[in-house]
Amino acid sequence: MSQLPQALFAMAAENVPQVFPPEVLARLRTSVDIEPGLVAEDFTDPRVLGTLARAEILVTGWGCPRLDETVLDAAPRLRAVLHSAGSVKSFATHALRERGIAVSSAAVANALPVAEYTLAMILLAGKDVLAARDRMRTTRACAGWGVIPGIGNYGRRVGVIGASRIGRRVLGLLRPFDLRPVLSDPYVDERRAAALGVPLLPLDELLRTSGIVTVHAPETPETHRMIGRRELALMPDGAVLINTARGALVDHDALVAELRTGRLSAILDVTDPEPLPADSPLYDLPGAFVTPHLAGSQGNELARLGLAVAEEAERLLAGEEPAHAVDWAALEREA
């Protein structure tokens, strides 16, 4: 019989082989006794109840059912939940906190590809690459070499809204470039902004003075439609709005109105609603560049999430605390 702590996958079963490919699964199984063929998509399933009763660790992911009092009563030995994705809001309950069960998230690992996507779009937007591609596709001609005024990434101000995990990662990735990032976040003070290496500005000033604005705030009642008609009107002519956070942070009707004038451009990996209806003008407006919510972990990047869980399991086996424990106090204002 294995001397390793009993663990159980709790997520959509189709995600297990993607997040835990053979090499990552093998590493996880050096720390826990877990069966990849047994996945709890429903905690009332008789096939999982026996393992749930013995489980010390739940390895959760997208599609995990809610961990309420009934589930926790059926898992009396549970001491840790290791989440192989970002937010735990969809399944974590106060019962976990009240029972002292450790909860860890791979949100830090999932932040990297979003930040990489954002960096790529900032650099492309600064060179007007996306619009130039569209113009060439329409005209089927190239104007030839020549200096194009108004574009370039030297000294361009980039406004980052939200010092979230992703927002902080974006700021880190921007450091090697000759850009001028600034930050707006009501939960950040001057001291913390200085530690991040950026000036802290009120949102209105950030919008007025930034050629590129990238949104990394969580979706909360306070941030719903935080970028609306008034805020968009503050942005200078030719500015670009990037949103990889949540679609509902931007008033899409107001954005479409601005895009129709040609005054602003937008790069949207998230929309409201999501997916967009087939008749949405955002598909066709020349100033809109829309991608299908792919900035987060995709394809081979999913293995990074599984590896983050395997590393947390190793820490638990060694008697250490999780490195990426969920901050319950901050959870309400996180995405």
Side-chain angles (χ1 to χ4, degrees):
M1 180 177 293
S2 172
Q3 299 302 307
L4 297 175
Q6 180 70 59
L8 174 66
F9 283 114
M11 63 181 74
E14 64 185 10
N15 292 333
V16 172
Q18 299 183 71
V19 180
F20 296 91
E23 66 278 11
V24 177
L25 178 63
R27 180 163 175 179
L28 175 64
R29 297 181 83 179
T30 64
S31 301
V32 297
D33 180 6
I34 194 165
E35 175 51 57
L38 182 65
V39 182
E41 296 181 289
D42 178 353
F43 286 119
T44 65
D45 186 338
R47 294 172 298 175
V48 305
L49 288 175
T51 303
L52 181 62
R54 301 190 305 275
E56 297 181 51
I57 297 170
L58 284 181
V59 176
T60 60
W62 293 301
C64 177
R66 280 180 64 80
L67 300 179
D68 56 21
E69 292 279 4
T70 301
V71 173
L72 298 182
D73 286 344
R77 302 184 63 187
L78 186 65
R79 59 188 178 95
V81 174
L82 306 182
H83 189 50
S84 61
S87 177
V88 301
K89 274 189 172 181
S90 64
F91 68 89
T93 65
H94 288 295
L96 284 166
R97 183 180 185 182
E98 291 166 358
R99 297 187 185 208
I101 296 170
V103 181
S104 170
S105 166
V108 170
N110 195 45
L112 178 55
V114 184
E116 290 173 340
Y117 173 103
T118 303
L119 171 65
M121 292 302 175
I122 288 170
L123 296 175
L124 291 174
K127 293 285 281 188
D128 197 36
V129 168
L130 304 178
R133 186 280 313 266
D134 284 345
R135 289 192 294 270
M136 287 188 67
R137 189 162 59 182
T138 299
T139 62
R140 305 289 173 174
C142 177
W145 187 89
V147 174
I148 304 173
I151 72 169
N153 287 312
Y154 178 66
R156 185 178 293 275
R157 174 169 281 187
V158 178
V160 177
I161 300 176
S164 60
R165 292 182 186 89
I166 296 168
R168 295 193 302 271
R169 200 76 185 246
V170 168
L171 290 172
L173 292 179
L174 289 174
R175 286 192 189 107
F177 300 94
D178 288 327
L179 293 157
R180 294 189 297 126
V182 294
L183 173 68
S184 181
D185 189 317
Y187 297 100
V188 172
D189 58 20
E190 294 283 356
R191 181 186 59 80
R192 188 175 171 207
L196 292 171
V198 290
L200 183 66
L201 300 181
L203 179 59
D204 283 5
E205 185 178 350
L206 179 147
L207 292 169
R208 277 195 298 263
T209 60
S210 298
I212 298 174
V213 174
T214 179
V215 182
H216 301 291
E219 183 181 1
T220 67
E222 293 75 24
T223 61
H224 186 76
R225 302 285 193 273
M226 67 180 297
I227 306 297
R229 193 173 307 277
R230 188 189 74 84
E231 289 76 20
L232 292 168
L234 293 174
M235 296 175 66
D237 291 355
V240 181
L241 177 70
I242 301 173
N243 189 9
T244 59
R246 292 291 186 269
L249 273 61
V250 176
D251 182 334
H252 278 54
D253 290 340
L255 179 61
V256 166
E258 283 283 8
L259 294 176
R260 281 182 168 143
T261 70
R263 198 180 73 80
L264 302 179
S265 299
I267 297 171
L268 307 173
D269 189 54
V270 290
T271 58
D272 184 31
E274 194 172 63
L276 286 173
D279 61 353
S280 171
L282 290 171
Y283 286 119
D284 301 308
L285 282 168
F289 185 84
V290 184
T291 55
H293 204 146
L294 54 72
S297 297
Q298 295 283 341
N300 60 26
E301 295 165 336
L302 295 175
R304 185 189 286 122
L305 305 180
L307 180 60
V309 167
E311 291 171 346
E312 291 285 56
E314 291 167 0
R315 294 184 187 101
L316 291 178
L317 187 64
E320 302 172 7
E321 294 296 317
H324 303 292
V326 168
D327 182 347
W328 292 102
L331 187 61
E332 290 304 316
R333 64 175 187 264
E334 292 182 357

